[in-house]
Every structure is written in C-alpha cells, then in structure tokens.
Amino acid sequence: MAKKESLAVNVTIKSECQKHLNGVPFRVMHHTGDSNYWIQVADYCSWAINRKWDWGETEAYDLLRTRLAVPELALTDKGDGTEYY
C-alpha cells in the first residue's frame, strides 16, 4: 500500500474510532502478516469465503467447512444488489 493510501486508511480508522469510543483512548497498530500466525489464518479464511461467493469456487472453502462454528452469513441476500468491497 502506498504511503498516501496508508495515511488515508489511518485517518479514516481514527475518525471512526473517535466517533464510537466516546473519548476512550486508543491506538491504531498495524502488524505485519508474519507477526502472528492467526493473522494468516484469518486472511486465508477470508480469501476462501471470498472465492466461494465471488467466483463460485468452493475447494478452499470446503477444506474449512468442518472447522466453522456456523456458516458465514449472506449479508447481502436481502439487499438492493449493491456490491460492497
């Protein structure tokens, strides 16, 4: 991510946190993906679910299916058809 984009992300995160945290102090921290294996696990799960919904490819998702507590919610099923990224 370019420095300009990174700054814009930080500004947005801080702005939203300030709105919702009512004065509670906070810090925004960005860890590298290799700093914690769980970041990599979450990324893989998100990628697999994305492939299922956007491409109809379920091979990676099927490997995860037995590990999911519940299936993911189809949040846009009852929406207006807008695609959110």
Coordinates of all heavy atoms in Angstrom, one line a residue:
M1 N 0.9 -1.2 0.0 CA 0.0 0.0 0.0 C 0.9 1.2 0.0 O 1.9 1.3 0.8 CB -0.9 0.0 1.2 CG -1.9 1.1 1.3 SD -3.0 1.2 2.8 CE -3.7 -0.4 2.8
A2 N 0.6 2.2 -0.8 CA 1.4 3.4 -0.9 C 1.2 4.2 0.4 O 0.2 4.1 1.1 CB 0.9 4.2 -2.1
K3 N 2.2 5.1 0.6 CA 2.2 5.9 1.8 C 0.9 6.8 1.9 O 0.3 6.9 3.0 CB 3.4 6.8 1.9 CG 3.6 7.5 3.2 CD 4.9 8.2 3.3 CE 5.1 8.8 4.6 NZ 6.4 9.4 4.8
K4 N 0.5 7.4 0.8 CA -0.7 8.2 0.7 C -1.9 7.4 1.1 O -2.8 7.9 1.9 CB -0.8 8.8 -0.7 CG -1.9 9.8 -0.8 CD -1.9 10.4 -2.2 CE -3.0 11.4 -2.4 NZ -3.0 12.0 -3.7
E5 N -2.0 6.2 0.6 CA -3.2 5.3 0.9 C -3.2 4.9 2.3 O -4.2 4.9 3.0 CB -3.2 4.1 0.0 CG -3.5 4.4 -1.5 CD -3.2 3.2 -2.4 OE1 -2.3 2.4 -2.1 OE2 -3.9 3.1 -3.4
S6 N -2.0 4.6 2.8 CA -1.9 4.2 4.2 C -2.3 5.3 5.2 O -3.0 5.0 6.2 CB -0.4 3.8 4.5 OG -0.3 3.4 5.8
L7 N -1.9 6.5 4.9 CA -2.3 7.6 5.7 C -3.8 7.8 5.6 O -4.4 8.1 6.7 CB -1.6 8.9 5.2 CG -1.9 10.2 5.9 CD1 -1.5 10.1 7.4 CD2 -1.2 11.4 5.3
A8 N -4.4 7.7 4.5 CA -5.9 7.8 4.3 C -6.6 6.8 5.1 O -7.6 7.0 5.8 CB -6.3 7.8 2.9
V9 N -6.1 5.5 5.2 CA -6.7 4.5 5.9 C -6.6 4.8 7.4 O -7.6 4.7 8.2 CB -6.0 3.1 5.7 CG1 -6.4 2.1 6.7 CG2 -6.3 2.6 4.2
N10 N -5.4 5.3 7.9 CA -5.3 5.6 9.3 C -6.2 6.8 9.7 O -6.8 6.7 10.8 CB -3.8 6.0 9.6 CG -2.9 4.8 9.8 OD1 -3.4 3.8 10.3 ND2 -1.7 4.9 9.5
V11 N -6.3 7.8 8.9 CA -7.2 8.9 9.2 C -8.6 8.4 9.3 O -9.4 8.8 10.2 CB -7.1 10.0 8.1 CG1 -8.2 11.0 8.2 CG2 -5.7 10.7 8.2
T12 N -9.1 7.5 8.4 CA -10.4 7.0 8.4 C -10.7 6.2 9.7 O -11.7 6.3 10.4 CB -10.7 6.2 7.2 OG1 -10.5 7.0 6.0 CG2 -12.1 5.7 7.2
I13 N -9.7 5.3 10.0 CA -9.9 4.4 11.2 C -10.0 5.3 12.4 O -10.8 5.1 13.3 CB -8.7 3.4 11.3 CG1 -8.8 2.4 10.2 CG2 -8.7 2.8 12.7 CD1 -7.6 1.5 10.1
K14 N -9.1 6.3 12.6 CA -9.1 7.1 13.8 C -10.3 7.9 13.8 O -10.9 8.1 14.9 CB -7.8 8.0 13.7 CG -6.6 7.3 14.0 CD -5.4 8.2 13.9 CE -4.1 7.5 14.2 NZ -2.9 8.3 14.1
S15 N -10.8 8.4 12.7 CA -12.0 9.2 12.7 C -13.2 8.4 13.2 O -14.0 8.9 14.0 CB -12.3 9.8 11.3 OG -13.5 10.4 11.2
E16 N -13.4 7.2 12.7 CA -14.5 6.3 13.1 C -14.4 5.9 14.5 O -15.4 5.8 15.2 CB -14.6 5.1 12.1 CG -15.0 5.4 10.7 CD -16.4 6.1 10.7 OE1 -17.3 5.5 11.3 OE2 -16.5 7.1 10.1
C17 N -13.2 5.6 15.0 CA -13.0 5.2 16.4 C -13.4 6.3 17.3 O -14.0 6.1 18.3 CB -11.5 4.7 16.6 SG -11.1 3.1 15.9
Q18 N -13.0 7.5 17.0 CA -13.3 8.7 17.8 C -14.8 8.9 17.9 O -15.3 9.2 19.0 CB -12.6 10.0 17.3 CG -11.1 10.0 17.5 CD -10.4 11.1 16.8 OE1 -11.0 11.7 15.9 NE2 -9.1 11.3 17.1
K19 N -15.5 8.6 16.8 CA -17.0 8.8 16.8 C -17.6 7.8 17.8 O -18.6 8.1 18.4 CB -17.5 8.5 15.4 CG -17.5 9.7 14.5 CD -18.3 9.3 13.3 CE -17.6 9.7 12.0 NZ -18.3 9.2 10.8
H20 N -17.1 6.6 17.8 CA -17.8 5.5 18.5 C -17.2 5.2 19.9 O -17.9 4.5 20.7 CB -17.8 4.2 17.7 CG -18.4 4.4 16.4 ND1 -19.8 4.4 16.2 CD2 -18.0 4.6 15.1 CE1 -20.1 4.6 15.0 NE2 -19.0 4.7 14.3
L21 N -16.0 5.7 20.2 CA -15.4 5.3 21.5 C -15.6 6.3 22.6 O -15.2 6.1 23.7 CB -13.9 5.0 21.3 CG -13.6 3.8 20.5 CD1 -12.1 3.7 20.3 CD2 -14.1 2.5 21.2
N22 N -16.3 7.4 22.3 CA -16.7 8.4 23.3 C -15.6 8.8 24.2 O -15.7 8.8 25.5 CB -17.9 7.9 24.1 CG -19.1 7.6 23.3 OD1 -19.4 8.3 22.3 ND2 -19.8 6.5 23.6
G23 N -14.4 9.1 23.7 CA -13.3 9.6 24.5 C -12.4 8.6 25.1 O -11.4 8.9 25.7
V24 N -12.7 7.3 24.8 CA -11.8 6.2 25.3 C -10.5 6.3 24.5 O -10.5 6.3 23.3 CB -12.5 4.8 25.1 CG1 -11.5 3.7 25.5 CG2 -13.7 4.8 26.0
P25 N -9.4 6.3 25.2 CA -8.1 6.4 24.5 C -7.9 5.1 23.6 O -8.2 4.0 24.1 CB -7.0 6.6 25.5 CG -7.7 6.5 26.9 CD -9.2 6.4 26.6
F26 N -7.2 5.3 22.5 CA -6.9 4.1 21.6 C -5.7 4.4 20.8 O -5.3 5.5 20.7 CB -8.1 3.8 20.7 CG -8.4 4.8 19.7 CD1 -7.8 4.8 18.4 CD2 -9.2 5.9 20.0 CE1 -8.0 5.7 17.5 CE2 -9.5 6.9 19.0 CZ -8.9 6.8 17.8
R27 N -5.2 3.3 20.2 CA -4.0 3.4 19.3 C -4.3 2.5 18.1 O -4.8 1.4 18.3 CB -2.8 2.9 20.0 CG -1.8 3.9 20.3 CD -0.5 3.3 20.9 NE -0.5 2.1 21.7 CZ 0.5 1.6 22.2 NH1 1.7 2.1 22.0 NH2 0.4 0.5 22.9
V28 N -3.9 3.0 17.0 CA -4.0 2.1 15.8 C -2.7 1.5 15.5 O -1.7 2.2 15.5 CB -4.4 3.0 14.5 CG1 -4.5 2.1 13.3 CG2 -5.8 3.7 14.8
M29 N -2.7 0.2 15.5 CA -1.4 -0.5 15.2 C -1.6 -1.5 14.0 O -2.7 -2.1 13.9 CB -1.1 -1.4 16.4 CG -0.8 -0.5 17.7 SD -0.2 -1.4 19.0 CE 1.4 -1.9 18.4
H30 N -0.6 -1.5 13.2 CA -0.6 -2.4 12.0 C 0.5 -3.4 12.1 O 1.7 -3.0 12.1 CB -0.4 -1.5 10.7 CG -1.5 -0.5 10.5 ND1 -2.7 -0.8 10.0 CD2 -1.5 0.8 10.8 CE1 -3.5 0.2 9.9 NE2 -2.8 1.2 10.4
H31 N 0.1 -4.6 12.3 CA 1.1 -5.7 12.4 C 1.4 -6.3 11.1 O 0.4 -6.4 10.2 CB 0.6 -6.8 13.4 CG 0.4 -6.3 14.7 ND1 1.4 -6.1 15.6 CD2 -0.8 -5.9 15.4 CE1 0.9 -5.6 16.8 NE2 -0.4 -5.6 16.7
T32 N 2.6 -6.7 10.8 CA 2.9 -7.5 9.6 C 2.2 -8.8 9.6 O 2.0 -9.4 10.7 CB 4.4 -7.6 9.4 OG1 4.9 -8.4 10.4 CG2 5.1 -6.3 9.3
G33 N 1.9 -9.4 8.5 CA 1.2 -10.6 8.4 C 2.0 -11.8 9.0 O 1.4 -12.7 9.5
D34 N 3.3 -11.7 9.0 CA 4.1 -12.8 9.6 C 4.3 -12.6 11.1 O 5.0 -13.4 11.7 CB 5.4 -13.0 8.8 CG 6.2 -11.7 8.8 OD1 5.8 -10.7 9.4 OD2 7.3 -11.8 8.3
S35 N 3.8 -11.6 11.7 CA 4.0 -11.4 13.1 C 3.1 -12.3 14.0 O 3.4 -12.5 15.2 CB 3.7 -9.9 13.5 OG 2.3 -9.6 13.4
N36 N 2.1 -12.8 13.4 CA 1.2 -13.7 14.2 C 0.5 -14.6 13.2 O -0.1 -14.2 12.2 CB 0.1 -12.8 14.9 CG -0.8 -13.6 15.8 OD1 -1.3 -14.7 15.4 ND2 -1.0 -13.1 17.0
Y37 N 0.6 -15.9 13.5 CA 0.0 -16.9 12.6 C -1.5 -16.8 12.4 O -2.1 -17.1 11.4 CB 0.3 -18.3 13.0 CG 1.8 -18.7 12.9 CD1 2.5 -19.0 14.0 CD2 2.4 -18.6 11.7 CE1 3.9 -19.3 13.9 CE2 3.8 -18.9 11.5 CZ 4.5 -19.3 12.6 OH 5.8 -19.6 12.5
W38 N -2.2 -16.2 13.5 CA -3.6 -16.1 13.4 C -4.0 -15.1 12.4 O -5.1 -15.1 11.8 CB -4.2 -15.8 14.8 CG -4.1 -17.0 15.7 CD1 -3.3 -17.1 16.8 CD2 -4.8 -18.3 15.5 NE1 -3.5 -18.4 17.3 CE2 -4.3 -19.1 16.5 CE3 -5.7 -18.8 14.6 CZ2 -4.8 -20.4 16.7 CZ3 -6.1 -20.1 14.7 CH2 -5.7 -20.9 15.7
I39 N -3.2 -14.1 12.1 CA -3.5 -13.1 11.0 C -3.5 -13.8 9.7 O -4.4 -13.6 8.9 CB -2.4 -12.0 11.0 CG1 -2.6 -11.1 12.3 CG2 -2.6 -11.1 9.8 CD1 -1.4 -10.1 12.5
Q40 N -2.6 -14.7 9.5 CA -2.5 -15.5 8.3 C -3.7 -16.5 8.2 O -4.3 -16.6 7.1 CB -1.2 -16.3 8.2 CG 0.0 -15.4 8.1 CD 1.3 -16.2 8.2 OE1 1.4 -17.3 7.7 NE2 2.3 -15.6 8.7
V41 N -4.1 -17.0 9.3 CA -5.3 -17.9 9.3 C -6.6 -17.1 8.9 O -7.3 -17.6 8.0 CB -5.5 -18.6 10.6 CG1 -6.8 -19.3 10.7 CG2 -4.3 -19.6 10.9
A42 N -6.7 -16.0 9.5 CA -7.9 -15.1 9.2 C -7.9 -14.7 7.8 O -8.9 -14.7 7.1 CB -7.9 -13.9 10.2
D43 N -6.7 -14.4 7.2 CA -6.6 -14.0 5.9 C -7.0 -15.1 4.9 O -7.7 -14.9 3.9 CB -5.2 -13.5 5.6 CG -5.0 -13.0 4.1 OD1 -5.8 -12.1 3.7 OD2 -4.2 -13.5 3.4
Y44 N -6.5 -16.3 5.2 CA -6.9 -17.5 4.4 C -8.4 -17.8 4.4 O -9.0 -18.0 3.4 CB -6.1 -18.7 4.8 CG -6.4 -19.9 4.0 CD1 -5.9 -20.1 2.7 CD2 -7.4 -20.9 4.4 CE1 -6.2 -21.2 1.9 CE2 -7.7 -21.9 3.6 CZ -7.1 -22.1 2.4 OH -7.5 -23.2 1.6
C45 N -9.0 -17.7 5.6 CA -10.4 -17.9 5.7 C -11.2 -16.9 4.9 O -12.1 -17.3 4.2 CB -10.8 -17.9 7.2 SG -10.2 -19.3 8.2
S46 N -10.8 -15.7 5.1 CA -11.5 -14.6 4.3 C -11.3 -14.8 2.8 O -12.3 -14.6 2.0 CB -10.9 -13.2 4.7 OG -11.1 -13.0 6.0
W47 N -10.1 -15.2 2.4 CA -9.9 -15.4 1.0 C -10.8 -16.6 0.5 O -11.4 -16.5 -0.6 CB -8.4 -15.7 0.8 CG -8.1 -16.2 -0.6 CD1 -7.9 -15.4 -1.7 CD2 -7.9 -17.6 -1.1 NE1 -7.6 -16.2 -2.8 CE2 -7.6 -17.5 -2.4 CE3 -8.0 -18.8 -0.4 CZ2 -7.4 -18.7 -3.2 CZ3 -7.8 -19.9 -1.2 CH2 -7.5 -19.9 -2.5
A48 N -10.8 -17.7 1.2 CA -11.6 -18.8 0.8 C -13.1 -18.5 0.7 O -13.8 -18.9 -0.2 CB -11.4 -20.0 1.8
I49 N -13.6 -17.7 1.7 CA -15.0 -17.3 1.6 C -15.3 -16.4 0.4 O -16.3 -16.5 -0.3 CB -15.4 -16.7 3.0 CG1 -15.5 -17.8 4.0 CG2 -16.8 -16.0 2.8 CD1 -15.6 -17.3 5.5
N50 N -14.3 -15.5 0.2 CA -14.4 -14.6 -1.0 C -14.5 -15.4 -2.3 O -15.3 -15.1 -3.2 CB -13.3 -13.6 -1.0 CG -13.3 -12.7 -2.2 OD1 -14.4 -12.1 -2.5 ND2 -12.2 -12.6 -2.9
R51 N -13.6 -16.4 -2.4 CA -13.6 -17.2 -3.6 C -14.9 -17.9 -3.8 O -15.4 -18.0 -4.9 CB -12.5 -18.2 -3.6 CG -11.1 -17.7 -3.5 CD -10.7 -16.9 -4.8 NE -10.5 -17.8 -5.9 CZ -10.0 -17.5 -7.0 NH1 -9.6 -16.2 -7.2 NH2 -9.8 -18.3 -8.0
K52 N -15.5 -18.4 -2.7 CA -16.8 -19.1 -2.8 C -17.9 -18.1 -3.3 O -18.6 -18.5 -4.2 CB -17.2 -19.6 -1.4 CG -18.6 -20.2 -1.3 CD -19.0 -20.5 0.1 CE -20.4 -20.8 0.2 NZ -20.9 -20.9 1.6
W53 N -18.0 -16.9 -2.7 CA -19.1 -16.0 -3.1 C -18.9 -15.3 -4.4 O -19.8 -15.1 -5.1 CB -19.3 -15.0 -1.9 CG -19.9 -15.6 -0.7 CD1 -19.3 -16.1 0.4 CD2 -21.3 -16.0 -0.6 NE1 -20.2 -16.6 1.3 CE2 -21.5 -16.6 0.7 CE3 -22.4 -15.8 -1.4 CZ2 -22.7 -17.0 1.1 CZ3 -23.7 -16.2 -0.9 CH2 -23.8 -16.8 0.3
D54 N -17.6 -14.9 -4.7 CA -17.4 -14.1 -5.9 C -17.1 -14.9 -7.1 O -17.4 -14.5 -8.2 CB -16.2 -13.1 -5.7 CG -16.6 -11.9 -4.8 OD1 -17.8 -11.8 -4.5 OD2 -15.7 -11.1 -4.5
W55 N -16.5 -16.1 -6.9 CA -16.1 -16.9 -8.1 C -16.8 -18.2 -8.1 O -16.7 -19.0 -9.1 CB -14.6 -17.1 -8.0 CG -13.9 -15.8 -8.1 CD1 -13.4 -15.1 -7.1 CD2 -13.5 -15.1 -9.3 NE1 -12.8 -14.0 -7.5 CE2 -12.8 -14.0 -8.9 CE3 -13.7 -15.4 -10.6 CZ2 -12.3 -13.0 -9.8 CZ3 -13.2 -14.4 -11.6 CH2 -12.5 -13.3 -11.1
G56 N -17.6 -18.6 -7.1 CA -18.2 -19.9 -7.1 C -17.3 -21.0 -6.9 O -17.6 -22.2 -7.1
E57 N -16.0 -20.8 -6.5 CA -15.0 -21.8 -6.3 C -15.0 -22.2 -4.9 O -14.8 -21.4 -4.0 CB -13.6 -21.3 -6.7 CG -13.5 -21.0 -8.2 CD -12.2 -20.4 -8.6 OE1 -11.3 -20.3 -7.7 OE2 -12.1 -19.9 -9.7
T58 N -15.3 -23.5 -4.6 CA -15.5 -23.9 -3.2 C -14.4 -24.8 -2.7 O -14.5 -25.3 -1.5 CB -16.9 -24.6 -3.0 OG1 -16.9 -25.7 -3.8 CG2 -18.0 -23.6 -3.4
E59 N -13.4 -25.1 -3.4 CA -12.4 -26.1 -3.0 C -11.7 -25.7 -1.7 O -11.7 -26.4 -0.7 CB -11.3 -26.2 -4.1 CG -10.3 -27.3 -3.7 CD -9.2 -27.4 -4.8 OE1 -9.4 -26.8 -5.9 OE2 -8.3 -28.2 -4.5
A60 N -11.3 -24.4 -1.6 CA -10.6 -24.0 -0.3 C -11.7 -23.9 0.8 O -11.4 -24.2 2.0 CB -10.0 -22.6 -0.5
Y61 N -12.9 -23.4 0.5 CA -13.9 -23.2 1.5 C -14.3 -24.6 2.0 O -14.5 -24.8 3.2 CB -15.1 -22.6 0.9 CG -16.3 -22.4 1.9 CD1 -16.3 -21.4 2.8 CD2 -17.3 -23.3 1.9 CE1 -17.4 -21.3 3.7 CE2 -18.4 -23.2 2.8 CZ -18.4 -22.2 3.7 OH -19.4 -22.1 4.6
D62 N -14.4 -25.6 1.2 CA -14.8 -26.9 1.6 C -13.8 -27.5 2.6 O -14.2 -28.3 3.5 CB -14.9 -27.9 0.4 CG -16.1 -27.5 -0.5 OD1 -17.0 -26.8 0.0 OD2 -16.1 -27.9 -1.6
L63 N -12.5 -27.1 2.5 CA -11.5 -27.6 3.4 C -11.7 -27.0 4.8 O -11.4 -27.6 5.8 CB -10.1 -27.2 3.0 CG -9.6 -28.0 1.7 CD1 -8.3 -27.4 1.2 CD2 -9.5 -29.4 2.0
L64 N -12.3 -25.8 4.8 CA -12.6 -25.1 6.1 C -14.0 -25.4 6.7 O -14.2 -25.3 7.9 CB -12.6 -23.6 5.9 CG -11.3 -22.9 5.4 CD1 -11.5 -21.5 5.1 CD2 -10.2 -23.1 6.5
R65 N -14.9 -25.9 5.9 CA -16.3 -26.1 6.3 C -16.4 -26.8 7.6 O -17.2 -26.4 8.5 CB -17.0 -26.8 5.2 CG -18.5 -26.9 5.5 CD -19.2 -27.8 4.5 NE -18.9 -27.5 3.1 CZ -19.6 -26.7 2.3 NH1 -20.7 -26.2 2.7 NH2 -19.3 -26.5 1.1
T66 N -15.7 -27.9 7.8 CA -15.9 -28.6 9.1 C -15.3 -27.9 10.3 O -15.6 -28.3 11.4 CB -15.2 -30.0 9.0 OG1 -13.8 -29.8 8.8 CG2 -15.7 -30.8 7.9
R67 N -14.5 -26.9 10.1 CA -13.9 -26.1 11.2 C -14.8 -24.9 11.6 O -14.5 -24.2 12.6 CB -12.5 -25.6 10.8 CG -11.6 -26.7 10.4 CD -11.0 -27.4 11.6 NE -10.0 -28.3 11.3 CZ -9.7 -29.3 12.0 NH1 -10.3 -29.5 13.1 NH2 -8.7 -30.1 11.6
L68 N -15.8 -24.5 10.8 CA -16.6 -23.4 11.0 C -17.6 -23.7 12.1 O -18.3 -24.7 12.0 CB -17.3 -22.9 9.8 CG -16.4 -22.4 8.6 CD1 -17.2 -22.1 7.4 CD2 -15.5 -21.3 9.0
A69 N -17.8 -22.8 13.1 CA -18.8 -23.0 14.1 C -20.2 -22.9 13.5 O -21.1 -23.7 13.8 CB -18.6 -22.0 15.2
V70 N -20.3 -21.9 12.6 CA -21.6 -21.7 11.8 C -21.2 -21.3 10.5 O -20.2 -20.7 10.3 CB -22.5 -20.7 12.5 CG1 -23.0 -21.2 13.9 CG2 -21.9 -19.4 12.7
P71 N -22.0 -21.5 9.5 CA -21.8 -21.0 8.1 C -21.8 -19.4 8.2 O -22.5 -18.8 9.0 CB -22.9 -21.5 7.3 CG -23.6 -22.5 8.1 CD -23.3 -22.3 9.5
E72 N -21.0 -18.8 7.3 CA -21.0 -17.4 7.2 C -22.4 -16.9 6.8 O -23.1 -17.6 6.1 CB -19.9 -16.8 6.3 CG -20.2 -17.0 4.8 CD -20.0 -18.4 4.3 OE1 -19.6 -19.3 5.0 OE2 -20.2 -18.6 3.1
L73 N -22.7 -15.7 7.2 CA -24.0 -15.1 6.8 C -23.9 -14.4 5.5 O -22.9 -13.8 5.1 CB -24.3 -14.0 7.9 CG -24.5 -14.4 9.3 CD1 -24.7 -13.2 10.2 CD2 -25.6 -15.4 9.5
A74 N -24.9 -14.6 4.7 CA -25.0 -14.0 3.4 C -25.7 -12.6 3.6 O -26.9 -12.4 3.5 CB -25.9 -14.8 2.4
L75 N -24.9 -11.6 4.0 CA -25.4 -10.3 4.5 C -26.1 -9.5 3.4 O -26.9 -8.7 3.7 CB -24.2 -9.5 5.0 CG -23.5 -10.1 6.3 CD1 -22.3 -9.3 6.7 CD2 -24.5 -10.3 7.4
T76 N -25.8 -9.8 2.1 CA -26.4 -9.0 1.1 C -27.5 -9.7 0.4 O -28.1 -9.2 -0.6 CB -25.3 -8.6 0.0 OG1 -24.7 -9.8 -0.5 CG2 -24.2 -7.8 0.6
D77 N -27.9 -10.9 0.9 CA -29.0 -11.6 0.2 C -30.3 -10.8 0.1 O -31.0 -10.9 -0.9 CB -29.3 -12.9 0.9 CG -28.4 -14.1 0.5 OD1 -27.6 -13.8 -0.4 OD2 -28.6 -15.2 1.0
K78 N -30.6 -10.0 1.1 CA -31.8 -9.3 1.1 C -31.6 -7.8 0.7 O -32.5 -7.0 1.0 CB -32.5 -9.4 2.4 CG -32.9 -10.8 2.7 CD -33.6 -11.0 4.0 CE -34.0 -12.5 4.1 NZ -34.4 -12.9 5.4
G79 N -30.4 -7.5 0.2 CA -30.1 -6.1 -0.1 C -30.6 -5.7 -1.5 O -31.5 -6.3 -2.1
D80 N -30.1 -4.6 -1.9 CA -30.6 -4.0 -3.1 C -29.8 -4.3 -4.4 O -29.9 -3.8 -5.4 CB -30.6 -2.4 -3.0 CG -29.3 -1.8 -2.7 OD1 -28.3 -2.6 -2.7 OD2 -29.2 -0.6 -2.6
G81 N -28.8 -5.3 -4.2 CA -28.0 -5.7 -5.3 C -26.7 -5.0 -5.3 O -25.8 -5.3 -6.2
T82 N -26.4 -4.0 -4.5 CA -25.2 -3.3 -4.4 C -24.1 -4.2 -4.0 O -24.2 -5.0 -3.1 CB -25.3 -2.1 -3.5 OG1 -26.4 -1.3 -3.9 CG2 -24.0 -1.3 -3.5
E83 N -22.9 -4.2 -4.7 CA -21.8 -5.0 -4.3 C -20.9 -4.1 -3.5 O -20.5 -3.0 -3.9 CB -21.0 -5.4 -5.6 CG -21.7 -6.5 -6.3 CD -20.9 -7.1 -7.4 OE1 -19.7 -7.1 -7.3 OE2 -21.5 -7.6 -8.4
Y84 N -20.5 -4.6 -2.3 CA -19.6 -3.9 -1.4 C -18.3 -4.5 -1.4 O -18.2 -5.8 -1.3 CB -20.2 -3.9 0.0 CG -21.6 -3.2 0.1 CD1 -22.7 -3.9 -0.1 CD2 -21.6 -1.8 0.2 CE1 -23.9 -3.2 0.0 CE2 -22.8 -1.1 0.3 CZ -24.0 -1.9 0.1 OH -25.2 -1.2 0.2
Y85 N -17.2 -3.8 -1.4 CA -15.8 -4.3 -1.4 C -15.1 -3.8 -0.2 O -15.3 -2.7 0.3 CB -15.1 -3.9 -2.6 CG -15.8 -4.5 -3.9 CD1 -16.7 -3.8 -4.6 CD2 -15.4 -5.8 -4.3 CE1 -17.3 -4.4 -5.7 CE2 -16.0 -6.4 -5.4 CZ -16.9 -5.6 -6.1 OH -17.5 -6.2 -7.2

